[in-house]
């Protein structure tokens, strides 16, 4: 870790590899301060979404020494593409969207700052992640679960899911529509019960 890095991605993988081998090394104040200065310099040279995504995640481990990267989050989120007015994603797909959203939320949380994302943005990013539930590769599934868990950790803005229970069919013998109110992973809510209003319309 005691070297000059050429990208935030290189620093990210080197840092977390060392953390897995010996976490105490990565927590040394002098080293964290040096890494923070190097990271901030790298982000000035390369402020692409990928560079910022790795930078956000790394900064979440470097304490207040790298907290100024939080100022870059709003600009990063502004680059998200809206799809049909319902989804928000970055052009790089699931990998990049997960990298930026996870890193941004984590660095804000690590510095005890409010989530740098509005409830509407959260809903649309969440809708995008849920739309990718059909991923078949292990990497994609891992990124998807990580993203949903990170959003769920933000209690003030994390959406809840209202879904039809069972097959959703209503018959004369069973004219009751059952719904489930759960978290983003389909688990029962641990907090107080939510108040949900349903409006039925006919076409």
């Amino acid at each position: 870790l005691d070297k000059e890095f050429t990208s935030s991605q290189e620093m990210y993988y080197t840092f977390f590899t060392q953390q897995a081998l010996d976490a105490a090394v990565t927590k040394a104040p002098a080293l964290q301060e040096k890494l923070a200065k190097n990271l901030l310099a790298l982000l000035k040279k390369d402020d692409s979404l990928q560079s910022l995504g790795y930078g956000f995640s790394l900064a979440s481990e470097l304490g207040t020494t790298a907290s100024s990267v939080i100022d870059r989050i709003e600009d990063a989120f502004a680059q998200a593409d809206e799809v049909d007015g319902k989804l928000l994603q970055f052009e790089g797909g699931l990998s990049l969207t997960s990298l930026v959203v996870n890193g941004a939320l984590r660095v804000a949380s690590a510095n005890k700052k409010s989530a740098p994302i509005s409830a509407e943005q959260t809903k649309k990013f969440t809708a995008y992640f849920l739309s990718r539930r059909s991923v078949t590769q292990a990497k994609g599934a891992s990124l998807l679960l990580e993203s949903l868990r990170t959003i769920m950790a933000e209690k003030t803005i994390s959406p809840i899911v209202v879904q039809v229970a069972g097959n959703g069919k209503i018959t004369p013998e069973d004219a009751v529509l059952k719904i489930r109110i759960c978290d983003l992973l389909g688990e029962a809510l641990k907090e107080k019960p939510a108040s949900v209003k349903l409006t039925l319309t006919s076409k």
Side-chain angles (χ1 to χ4, degrees), residues 28 44 52-53 65 78 93 112 114 140 143 167 171 176:
K44 284 185 178 180
L52 289 171
T65 56
K112 295 181 172 54
S114 299
L143 291 173
N167 58 22
T171 65
V176 177

Side-chain angles (χ1 to χ4, degrees), residues 38-195:
N38 193 351
L39 176 62
L40 295 175
L42 289 171
L43 294 181
K44 284 185 178 180
K45 294 179 181 178
D46 179 6
D47 62 354
S48 65
L49 285 172
Q50 178 173 279
S51 179
L52 289 171
Y54 284 115
F56 294 153
S57 292
L58 184 55
S60 69
E61 300 289 331
L62 299 179
T64 58
T65 56
S67 61
S68 63
V69 302
I70 294 174
D71 298 334
R72 313 290 292 275
I73 294 176
E74 185 176 350
D75 289 339
F77 281 166
Q79 298 180 56
D81 298 321
E82 190 168 72
V83 181
D84 298 329
K86 299 177 181 179
L87 311 179
L88 275 178
Q89 67 175 86
F90 293 108
E91 189 174 344
L94 179 59
S95 294
L96 184 59
T97 304
S98 176
L99 178 67
V100 175
V101 172
N102 285 337
L105 294 180
R106 285 174 178 167
V107 71
S109 176
N111 285 276
K112 295 181 172 54
K113 301 289 185 181
S114 299
I117 184 174
S118 68
E120 185 66 16
Q121 286 176 311
T122 306
K123 182 176 72 173
K124 291 180 179 180
F125 275 122
T126 300
Y128 168 71
F129 289 128
L130 291 176
S131 75
R132 298 301 307 274
R133 285 177 294 185
S134 60
V135 292
T136 56
Q137 296 184 340
K139 177 183 177 182
S142 176
L143 291 173
L144 177 60
L145 289 173
E146 182 182 15
S147 300
L148 293 177
R149 288 191 177 112
T150 300
I151 292 174
M152 285 168 54
E154 299 294 334
K155 301 300 184 183
T156 58
I157 59 173
S158 179
I160 62 172
V161 175
V162 180
Q163 59 185 201
V164 175
N167 58 22
K169 293 182 178 180
I170 299 178
T171 65
E173 295 77 24
D174 185 10
V176 177
L177 178 65
K178 298 178 181 179
I179 63 172
R180 297 179 66 240
I181 302 174
C182 51
D183 64 23
L184 300 181
L185 295 178
E187 301 294 334
L189 297 176
K190 296 180 180 179
E191 307 297 329
K192 63 181 181 180
S195 175

